[in-house]
Amino acid sequence: MARVVRRKRVLGPIASRNSGRGRTTLEWQESLCQAGQEYADKHSLPMKFVQGDAFSPKSGDHVLKCDHAVALHACGDLHVRLIQHAVNARTAAVSISPCCYHLINDEYYMPLSSIAKASHLKLDKDNLKLPLQESVTAGQSVRSKRFVEVSFRLGFDSLLRDRLGIASYVPVPSIQKSLLGEGFERFCIWAAKIKGITLPEGIDYHGFLAHGEERFFLVEQMETVRTIFRRPLELWLVLDRVLFLKEQGYEVSLGEFCERELTPRNVLIQGKLAQ
Ligand SMILES: C[S@@+](CC[C@H](N)C(=O)[O-])C[C@H]1O[C@@H](n2cnc3c(N)ncnc32)[C@H](O)[C@@H]1O
């Protein structure tokens, strides 16, 4: 099982060290390229960091002479583009750990494999976000902060509907988490000020907060239904990549490179061009 590499300049060095072969890393941010190159030079690793746009027509040139294309947590279209370049260049090996399936240029998901193309499933960006909306890595404190914040927001919404007859949800911008500690009444005063709403006298803050908490649990139950589809949807997307590689003559294995508690984006697709 591979160690999860979080720092962007570390994936290339590990691959380079393990294989003993040279690596070219394509990265958009100049500062990351510089930091990566300094690290590689310092440790005498045969690596070259190239600043560039993976979506530019010339980006495929980097894959032409490469024997192993690797992308760890490259978002949406980025890893799809790498798969397409690798397939076009008949690259001997491909290792991909996909993430952020919703970061695509098209309005809807464009399947890669012929089987997925024949499917009636039409996925928009909101649908594609679903696999990422899980909190297996969130601890108890994050969960209880979410309970407080969402209950406050829903309680404020109940207040506006009940006391001011506002029929639709009024979105309140993100809040400094420290303000939540000052209580529901302070939150309502803050939110009303930001939205230019004058609150009436004699508000039963306690009652509206209780209502917000009740609604929180209802929202959680609705979320549970969505939850059931998270991993199956992610696997559908992953299998689309797997099938595409197979259609293009690759032997493909599918596995997990770390525990889900470390990162739920733990799928690893490995393709080897069949001889
Ligand atoms: C999620 S990070 C990759 C994570 C990294 N592999 C790791 O293990 O930590 C995505 C990276 O892609 C880079 N990036 C985004 N768009 C790009 C583009 N069009 N061309 C090249 N690099 C891009 C970002 O700057 C970022 O460093």
Side-chain angles (χ1 to χ4, degrees):
M1 185 183 295
R3 197 160 60 87
V4 175
V5 183
R6 288 203 172 277
R7 285 155 63 208
K8 293 168 179 51
R9 63 171 194 262
V10 179
L11 169 65
I14 285 184
S16 179
R17 210 176 264 135
N18 288 350
S19 69
R21 290 200 293 267
R23 291 276 159 200
T24 300
T25 298
L26 182 65
E27 167 56 51
W28 174 249
Q29 295 181 57
E30 181 69 50
S31 58
L32 289 181
C33 290
Q34 277 172 11
Q37 196 63 61
E38 276 167 25
Y39 180 93
D41 294 345
K42 189 171 163 199
H43 294 86
S44 307
L45 294 168
M47 295 187 65
K48 189 170 83 177
F49 283 78
V50 178
Q51 190 281 323
D53 181 2
F55 297 123
S56 80
K58 280 176 73 76
S59 70
D61 295 353
H62 299 294
V63 185
L64 285 177
K65 287 185 196 141
C66 129
D67 59 356
H68 191 177
V70 182
L72 171 67
H73 291 169
C75 304
D77 276 344
L78 275 178
H79 71 261
V80 170
R81 185 59 61 94
L82 183 65
I83 292 175
Q84 286 162 337
H85 282 322
V87 160
N88 290 340
R90 311 307 292 156
T91 304
V94 184
S95 300
I96 305 283
S97 171
C99 78
C100 302
Y101 303 95
H102 60 289
L103 294 181
I104 56 173
N105 281 323
D106 293 295
E107 199 179 338
Y108 291 96
Y109 179 67
M110 304 291 279
L112 299 165
S113 65
S114 51
I115 294 178
K117 276 180 185 157
S119 159
H120 293 299
L121 206 56
K122 196 174 178 190
L123 300 164
D124 64 19
K125 289 180 190 176
D126 240 25
N127 302 145
L128 293 168
K129 267 187 203 162
L130 186 61
L132 283 93
Q133 289 167 342
E134 68 185 315
S135 50
V136 291
T137 52
Q140 186 55 43
S141 117
V142 171
R143 281 201 288 272
S144 55
K145 275 185 193 139
R146 183 169 171 271
F147 167 71
V148 171
E149 181 165 355
V150 176
S151 300
F152 278 16
R153 287 175 185 277
L154 293 172
F156 180 65
D157 176 69
S158 295
L159 185 164
L160 295 184
R161 285 173 196 268
D162 189 78
R163 296 296 308 269
L164 294 170
I166 297 176
S168 55
Y169 184 75
V170 177
V172 174
S174 57
I175 181 177
Q176 248 188 336
K177 302 301 169 216
S178 55
L179 194 64
L180 294 173
E182 293 179 28
F184 179 60
E185 183 172 343
R186 275 284 298 133
F187 172 83
C188 292
I189 292 166
W190 169 83
K193 192 173 167 199
I194 281 210
K195 301 306 284 187
I197 296 168
T198 307
L199 293 176
E201 295 294 313
I203 291 173
D204 172 15
Y205 287 103
H206 192 73
F208 285 116
L209 174 58
H211 199 234
E213 289 174 354
E214 248 174 60
R215 289 179 67 194
F216 172 85
F217 289 115
L218 187 67
V219 169
E220 283 280 282
Q221 283 168 7
M222 287 156 71
E223 270 297 298
T224 306
V225 177
R226 272 169 66 87
T227 307
I228 296 166
F229 294 97
R230 280 178 189 154
R231 197 61 166 176
L233 177 59
E234 175 158 30
L235 290 179
W236 192 91
L237 295 165
V238 165
L239 288 174
D240 182 32
R241 286 142 178 80
V242 168
L243 288 171
F244 177 68
L245 282 168
K246 279 177 93 79
E247 284 170 4
Q248 301 298 321
Y250 284 79
E251 286 164 2
V252 189
S253 67
L254 185 58
E256 294 180 345
F257 66 92
C258 71
E259 301 298 330
R260 273 168 57 70
E261 286 68 26
L262 204 50
T263 166
R265 302 284 78 67
N266 63 350
V267 167
L268 183 64
I269 303 168
Q270 304 242 59
K272 240 173 96 180
L273 198 56
Q275 298 304 313

